[in-house]
């Protein structure tokens, strides 16, 4: 996840939900502009997932700080086994 400026994201600021394997916790590395999210449990092969950055938990470092205008969501499908 890459933001346009540095942000102190407050937990829980992200969500990962998948159609077959359900909700997943994610480990976070990096910051304060670019973050790498890694699921802490395996995702199922060939499943549709939705990742969301929760706007209410992310603010910039301006004075005064301003939160994101809305949640940001994207989708992906995991690869099939052996693909």
């Amino acid at each position: 996840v890459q933001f346009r400026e540095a942000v102190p994201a407050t937990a829980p600021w992200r969500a990962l939900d998948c159609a077959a394997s359900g909700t997943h916790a994610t480990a976070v590395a990096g910051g304060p502009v670019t973050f790498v999210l890694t699921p802490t449990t395996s995702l199922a092969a060939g499943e549709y997932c939705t990742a969301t950055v929760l706007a209410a938990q992310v603010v910039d470092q301006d004075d005064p700080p301003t939160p994101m205008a809305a949640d940001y969501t994207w989708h992906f499908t995991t690869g099939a086994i052996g693909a």
Side-chain angles (χ1 to χ4, degrees):
V1 176
Q2 185 167 358
F3 297 95
R4 284 187 257 175
E5 58 185 296
V7 296
T10 304
W13 64 270
R14 74 264 180 214
L16 178 59
D17 298 295
C18 298
S21 60
T23 300
H24 293 269
T26 54
V28 179
V33 176
T34 302
F35 296 83
V36 175
L37 306 179
T38 304
T40 57
T41 56
S42 296
L43 307 179
E47 76 174 320
Y48 182 79
C49 297
T50 301
T52 305
V53 174
L54 305 170
Q57 302 301 107
V58 179
V59 297
D60 62 22
Q61 295 181 343
D62 294 340
D63 188 17
T66 50
M68 289 175 54
D71 289 353
Y72 183 80
T73 300
W74 68 97
H75 308 277
F76 62 92
T77 301
T78 61
I81 294 176

